[in-house]
Amino acid sequence: MKRLELIGVEGIGEVARGDSIGRLICEACAREGIAFTDGDVVVIAQKIVSKAEGQLVDLAAVQPSPRARELARELGKEAALVEVILGESRGIIRTGARALVVETHHGFICANAGVDQSNVGKRHVALLPEDPDGSARRIGEEIHRETGKKPGVVISDSFGRPWRLGTVDVAVGISGIKAVKDERGLKDSYGYELKAAVAAIADEIAAAAELVMGKRDGVPVVIVRGCETEKEEGSVKELLRPVAEDLFR
Amino acid sequence: MKRLELIGVEGIGEVARGDSIGRLICEACAREGIAFTDGDVVVIAQKIVSKAEGQLVDLAAVQPSPRARELARELGKEAALVEVILGESRGIIRTGARALVVETHHGFICANAGVDQSNVGKRHVALLPEDPDGSARRIGEEIHRETGKKPGVVISDSFGRPWRLGTVDVAVGISGIKAVKDERGLKDSYGYELKAAVAAIADEIAAAAELVMGKRDGVPVVIVRGCETEKEEGSVKELLRPVAEDLFR
């Protein structure tokens, strides 16, 4: 019987700049009696990774540019926040209805460049990690040092979507797994060769973990057990659609 | 400890027009020794629902219109297939690079109106159910009659996305749960009031189940156990973003 299990890791506590997320996870797992097994994938909410990496900005210390002020007025947003978002962005994809959808320096297209005010304290905002695949790799190595096991790592964030309401968590950084599962060329039971069969499993793993995490910060880490993933080193860049193939820019 | 478990239900076998999907699921669960518990959500691949409802079209019997022929030439697709897709569509959102993104009569924006050639036999295509929420409700009632338990039901399909490669499964029909989990207005541990905290949990449940299903037809049903969902009757329409609020049409 195919089974998948998701285990929420509580008790990580407040994360500060310089903390080793891998070590914090291992300590919390030890307290909760959770032992890593081969093939586990650890999903980590972006927020605690950003905190550990010092990716927080005090909005009071930000000088908004004239452009940020103007855009802020248009969108009904705070100018300092818009300044921070623009600093994280390669370009603006759409504005409207209080929404600012940009392409981040990593190549993600999302609202507000992933800059987020929740769970970081009232005047601060959290940025995405600078190199989220690198963050995931480092955390995987920390867990390996502590436990001898090397789980896959997915760093997740909640993204909105065109056409559908509500956020769904996606992968913003991965390590130790491939981002997609490509079943193209395999045949179904009728002999038909599968064509559109590339599943973004890193994103599906992130989405699954959100069901356990929720939006507050009590469960920032989820262990996914029993998932069939390819164990080679992957990158979230596998999930970025090339500009020329994208109909929605 | 927060845990979520996903259990793949195998042995459903070939589904034919007129079959009761609810009964087939209960029979397969009985054979595998799986008993429903309160709070379970059953995720069902759209394909078997469409088969049971006779939502198959023989492409050889389709007469493509001149418009379908022209579009088919443009996109390098089969004219009969394009004719079927147009019949399922309220309007075309984008064409290009062999892709035909439409709005279905249900209001879903997706490639090819969800019309799919895999797992249905070589010359046939499967359409989405006509009323997928109604299909989900009926299946929930069938399971209730057979077992006395009333699980939530999610009918899932694999959709592509702008900007990101790979498909992620989403909900196309639901019953017995709400589609979203709205945490707006709750406060984080810093006292900040959450603003963007509406998670599309029906979609996240569908995405999670895909990790167990895969793209071939061996595991078309997954039971999700331990998920916090609101047990009121929901609709997948909760997930459709109003046209006026959508920046990507």
Side-chain angles (χ1 to χ4, degrees), chain A residues 1-8 10 14 32-34 51 93-97 99 101 108-110 117-122 159-172 180-181 183 186-192 194-201 203-208 210-217 219 224 227-228 236 238-242 244-249, chain B residues 1-8 10 14 32-34 51 93-97 99 101 108-110 117-122 159-172 180-181 183 186-192 194-201 203-208 210-217 219 224 227-228 236 238-242 244-249:
Chain A
M1 202 182 298
K2 284 183 78 173
R3 270 176 200 270
L4 192 77
E5 196 182 10
L6 291 100
I7 305 160
E10 289 166 278
E14 185 61 27
E32 305 256 320
I34 304 164
K51 282 180 173 179
I93 302 292
R94 289 282 194 294
T95 61
V101 180
F108 303 135
I109 295 180
C110 61
Q117 296 181 277
S118 67
N119 300 312
V120 286
K122 284 199 171 175
F159 278 14
R161 309 163 295 168
W163 316 320
R164 288 175 84 90
L165 292 170
T167 62
V168 163
D169 274 27
V170 299
V172 294
V180 298
K181 182 170 184 184
E183 300 184 84
L186 295 181
K187 291 191 169 152
D188 69 21
S189 53
Y190 298 90
Y192 175 82
L194 297 174
K195 294 201 178 75
V198 181
I201 55 164
D203 285 339
E204 293 183 327
I205 289 170
E210 201 284 325
L211 294 167
V212 179
M213 285 183 181
K215 288 286 168 277
R216 287 183 291 172
D217 50 2
V219 189
V224 181
C227 193
E228 283 170 27
V236 84
E238 296 166 55
L239 294 173
L240 303 182
R241 191 183 285 278
E245 293 171 20
D246 204 311
L247 303 173
F248 297 96
R249 287 190 176 240
Chain B
M1 202 183 299
K2 284 181 78 172
R3 270 175 199 271
L4 191 77
E5 196 182 9
L6 292 100
I7 307 160
E10 288 166 279
E14 184 63 25
E32 305 256 321
I34 304 165
K51 282 181 174 179
I93 302 292
R94 290 282 193 294
T95 60
V101 180
F108 303 135
I109 295 180
C110 61
Q117 297 181 276
S118 67
N119 299 313
V120 286
K122 283 199 170 175
F159 278 14
R161 308 164 295 168
W163 315 320
R164 289 175 85 89
L165 292 170
T167 62
V168 163
D169 274 26
V170 299
V172 294
V180 299
K181 182 171 185 183
E183 299 185 84
L186 295 180
K187 291 192 169 153
D188 68 20
S189 54
Y190 298 90
Y192 175 83
L194 298 174
K195 293 200 179 77
V198 181
I201 55 163
D203 285 340
E204 292 182 328
I205 289 171
E210 202 283 327
L211 294 167
V212 179
M213 285 183 182
K215 288 285 169 278
R216 285 182 292 170
D217 50 2
V219 189
V224 181
C227 193
E228 282 171 27
V236 83
E238 296 166 56
L239 295 173
L240 303 182
R241 192 182 284 279
E245 293 171 21
D246 204 311
L247 303 173
F248 296 95
R249 287 194 177 238

Side-chain angles (χ1 to χ4, degrees), chain B residues 37-242:
Chain B
T37 65
D38 288 320
D40 283 351
V41 178
V42 186
V43 187
I44 306 162
Q46 158 269 325
K47 194 66 53 69
I48 65 167
V49 179
S50 293
K51 282 181 174 179
E53 296 181 357
Q55 288 284 82
L56 299 185
V57 174
D58 179 351
L59 288 183
V62 173
Q63 286 290 341
S65 66
R67 187 180 172 224
R69 285 182 195 281
E70 196 191 317
L71 197 51
R73 253 194 313 273
E74 245 175 64
L75 298 172
K77 286 183 186 280
E78 191 176 342
L81 175 62
V82 171
E83 177 66 32
V84 174
I85 293 168
L86 293 180
E88 293 295 294
S89 302
R90 204 185 262 178
I92 294 177
I93 302 292
R94 290 282 193 294
T95 60
R98 298 181 59 83
L100 177 51
V101 180
V102 302
E103 180 174 9
T104 70
H105 294 302
H106 327 85
F108 303 135
I109 295 180
C110 61
N112 303 327
V115 174
D116 184 356
Q117 297 181 276
S118 67
N119 299 313
V120 286
K122 283 199 170 175
R123 284 300 300 163
H124 285 78
V125 293
L127 317 181
L128 292 179
E130 262 184 55
D131 169 20
D133 281 339
S135 307
R137 199 163 51 243
R138 207 159 41 246
I139 294 168
E141 285 161 4
E142 289 162 1
I143 294 173
H144 188 229
R145 267 200 300 278
E146 301 278 330
T147 66
K149 300 284 182 187
K150 193 141 190 189
V153 177
V154 171
I155 299 174
S156 66
D157 195 10
S158 304
F159 278 14
R161 308 164 295 168
W163 315 320
R164 289 175 85 89
L165 292 170
T167 62
V168 163
D169 274 26
V170 299
V172 294
I174 66 172
S175 172
I177 59 167
K178 277 186 69 61
V180 299
K181 182 171 185 183
D182 190 346
E183 299 185 84
R184 285 176 302 184
L186 295 180
K187 291 192 169 153
D188 68 20
S189 54
Y190 298 90
Y192 175 83
E193 190 177 303
L194 298 174
K195 293 200 179 77
V198 181
I201 55 163
D203 285 340
E204 292 182 328
I205 289 171
E210 202 283 327
L211 294 167
V212 179
M213 285 183 182
K215 288 285 169 278
R216 285 182 292 170
D217 50 2
V219 189
V221 175
V222 172
I223 296 171
V224 181
R225 183 160 292 169
C227 193
E228 282 171 27
T229 56
E230 285 184 61
K231 288 296 159 198
E232 55 184 280
E233 187 58 13
S235 165
V236 83
K237 293 190 170 64
E238 296 166 56
L239 295 173
L240 303 182
R241 192 182 284 279

Side-chain angles (χ1 to χ4, degrees), chain A residues 46-51 53-59 81 83-85 87-88 106 112-117 120 124-130 157:
Chain A
Q46 157 269 325
K47 193 67 51 71
I48 65 167
V49 179
S50 293
K51 282 180 173 179
E53 295 180 358
Q55 288 284 82
L56 298 185
V57 175
D58 180 351
L59 289 182
L81 175 61
E83 178 66 32
V84 174
I85 294 168
E88 292 295 294
H106 326 85
N112 303 326
V115 174
D116 184 356
Q117 296 181 277
V120 286
H124 285 79
V125 293
L127 317 180
L128 292 179
E130 263 184 56
D157 195 11

